[in-house]
Amino acid sequence: MTDDEAIEEIETRGAREVLSERDRAVLAMEHTSWPGPGAKERAIREQLGISPVRYYQLLNALIDDERALAHDPVTVNRLRRVRDDRRSRR
């Protein structure tokens, strides 16, 4: 492997380890307090341009992603605890 190939491999691996802009926006949405019912869903549609159902699908996948944990450990760990609590109640 040449030096150029090694550098390209490192850069490619680094790119895979970084969350997309959309993934970061989904995690950021969880930092906001919402004033009432429907406000969060409206913001999801307006700011992210996706449906709330798709948002929660993405969020659930993200909280199992180690890149998300590295990006925002407080939020991801909180969401994991909430999910685990809900599962244990079932």
Side-chain angles (χ1 to χ4, degrees):
M1 179 178 279
T2 67
D3 288 341
D4 289 338
E5 290 172 333
I7 291 171
E8 185 177 336
E9 171 66 24
I10 291 169
E11 289 173 349
T12 302
R13 190 178 327 129
R16 287 190 306 250
E17 294 173 7
V18 176
L19 289 175
S20 70
E21 186 69 32
R22 182 187 66 184
D23 292 343
R24 289 191 303 270
V26 167
L27 286 174
M29 188 73 70
E30 290 300 307
H31 285 280
T32 306
S33 292
W34 302 100
K40 183 176 184 179
E41 287 74 15
R42 190 171 30 259
I44 290 168
R45 289 184 190 281
E46 292 173 0
Q47 294 174 19
L48 301 177
I50 59 177
S51 72
V53 170
R54 182 67 181 139
Y55 169 83
Y56 287 109
Q57 290 171 340
L58 293 170
L59 182 62
N60 282 318
L62 270 175
I63 63 177
D64 291 326
D65 189 329
E66 293 303 314
R67 295 172 303 162
L69 182 62
H71 175 75
D72 191 351
V74 173
T75 300
V76 171
N77 283 325
R78 177 180 55 82
L79 292 170
R80 285 178 178 179
R81 279 191 307 275
V82 169
R83 180 183 62 185
D84 292 344
D85 287 346
R86 287 182 180 155
R87 283 183 180 169
S88 68
R89 290 181 194 156
R90 292 183 188 169

